[in-house]
Each structure stands twice: as C-alpha cells, then as structure tokens.
Amino acid sequence: SMHMSGDFVDYFEIDAHRQGFYIMDVSGHGASSAFVAVLVKSSINNALANYHAGSGDSICEPARLFAQLNAELIHDGLDKHATIFYAVLNKDGREMQYANGGYFPFPILFADGSEQILESRTKPVGLFGTAAYTTMTVPLPDTFELLIFSDGILDILPEESLSTKLDRLVEMGRAGLTNPGDIRKLLKIDDIRELPDDIAILTVTRRQT
C-alpha cells in the first residue's frame, strides 16, 4: 500500500448505443487514497446498475453523476477529494458528452488534422458542497483519438515551464503517439526507479475501417 494511490481508469458499456469511461486521481497517496478510488468506482458501478434496472439514468448524465459523487464523498467525511473526467460516447449520434471535475491536464481530442483541448475549469468532487458541474457535448468524426494523462506525467517531462510541458503532450498526439505503450517507451517511464507520482494514461480511439 506504500505505492498505491488514487489514480484510476475504467470503461464500460452503458447500452447498445453508449459507452462510458473515466479517469480520476484521488488526493494524497497510499492505501487511504486507493480506498477512496474503489469507493468512487463502486458508486459509479451502482449508477450503472440502477440504469440497467430502470431506476435512474445519472450514468448517462456526467454532470448529474458528479453531483451525486460530490454529495457522497462530502457526506462520508473521508477528508479526501478526487479530480475526475467522465464521458459518455454516443456511437449513433457521433458525439461525446463529458464533465470535468477539476481534472488536469485537460484531455486532448485529435480529429480532422487538428487538436482540441477540452478545457473546463471546475471543482473536484468531494471538496465543496456547493460545487456545480456542467455536461459538455463535442461532435466526433469517423476518426478521432482522445488522449488523457494524470498529472504525474508533468513531473517527469524535461521541459521547464508548465506551458511547455502541456505543449509536449500535444506534440506527442500530433506525432501519432497515442498508444500508452509507445508513450511509456518514448518517455522511458519504465527506467525511472522512483516516480514522483503515479502516472495514468487513458486513450480512446476510433478509426474508419
């Protein structure tokens, strides 16, 4: 548990038309942060089960799901909060609905030869009882790549300033480096004996066949 923390990635099928996925980072390190990550996963799994049982559809509404998670974490009084990005991919409507709960670095969407930073300045879940969240919608073409990192990636990039570190992430995507394995090799992550922070990478890709 000395090396466990709250970085967490998950994805699942909501129904025949939609898929959900999220990446989150719980504050702090160690077993207590890992416990909160599992607690959030359980809450999201419950929301998915409720949808399948016909007793709720918050799993389809990112902002509403965040409001529930926020209330639960504050009520439990665990003195922990989490930054989280959650999205629902609509395969029929060719769009993605998402909400950002204080997550940074912002996800990067590569499509049609350009990139879009999915910037959203909001509060983490479990920190402020008055936090408000908004569901955003972005259209998706036939081919796209979504690249998301946890903030631990910033600690190992050699660039000096935050802006140049963020530029480096965009440049990797432009160069087609959106496979987590390729990114690990490029940044030589496996060669670092003691990482300053955990690193999580989530990529979502659709290619025309």
Side-chain angles (χ1 to χ4, degrees):
S1 66
M2 291 293 293
H3 300 283
M4 292 173 65
S5 72
D7 281 8
F8 198 86
V9 171
D10 198 11
Y11 57 93
F12 44 82
E13 185 175 88
I14 297 174
D15 53 34
H17 309 285
R18 289 171 290 191
Q19 290 176 312
F21 58 90
Y22 63 91
I23 183 170
M24 69 174 168
D25 185 0
V26 179
S27 60
H29 299 277
S32 60
S33 295
F35 170 77
V36 174
V38 173
L39 185 65
V40 173
K41 172 181 168 56
S42 177
S43 295
I44 294 175
N45 285 352
N46 287 339
L48 180 62
N50 289 339
Y51 174 74
H52 289 158
S55 58
D57 61 355
S58 61
I59 196 69
C60 304
E61 297 288 341
R64 188 141 52 90
L65 181 65
F66 280 10
Q68 291 179 3
L69 293 175
N70 188 56
E72 289 174 7
L73 286 178
I74 290 176
H75 176 268
D76 290 341
L78 299 173
D79 195 29
K80 290 283 185 180
H81 62 272
T83 61
I84 180 170
F85 176 87
Y86 172 67
V88 176
L89 183 66
N90 187 317
K91 293 178 286 186
D92 292 341
R94 301 294 179 92
E95 66 181 18
M96 181 177 72
Q97 293 182 307
Y98 67 91
N100 187 331
Y103 198 87
F104 186 83
F106 300 124
I108 313 168
L109 177 65
F110 297 90
D112 296 328
S114 61
E115 66 276 347
Q116 179 181 355
I117 309 298
L118 302 184
E119 184 173 346
S120 179
R121 301 188 181 279
T122 51
K123 305 298 184 183
V125 295
L127 191 58
F128 301 104
T130 57
Y133 303 98
T134 302
T135 295
M136 310 291 289
T137 302
V138 60
L140 297 173
D142 291 333
T143 299
F144 72 87
E145 292 178 315
L146 180 66
L147 184 57
I148 316 174
F149 297 93
S150 65
D151 60 2
I153 196 74
L154 302 175
D155 294 329
I156 67 167
L157 293 178
E159 288 76 13
E160 294 185 0
S161 69
L162 176 59
S163 61
T164 54
K165 289 175 185 285
L166 296 176
D167 289 342
R168 176 74 180 282
L169 300 182
V170 173
E171 289 170 4
M172 286 193 294
R174 286 175 181 167
L177 286 167
T178 55
N179 180 285
D182 294 338
I183 294 171
R184 282 171 51 197
K185 291 178 182 178
L186 175 69
L187 300 180
K188 299 180 179 179
I189 293 175
D190 293 341
D191 297 335
I192 302 175
R193 291 189 176 183
E194 293 187 14
L195 291 169
D197 192 4
D198 278 357
I199 297 172
I201 304 172
L202 171 62
T203 62
V204 180
T205 302
R206 180 170 68 192
R207 293 186 176 93
Q208 227 173 356
T209 57

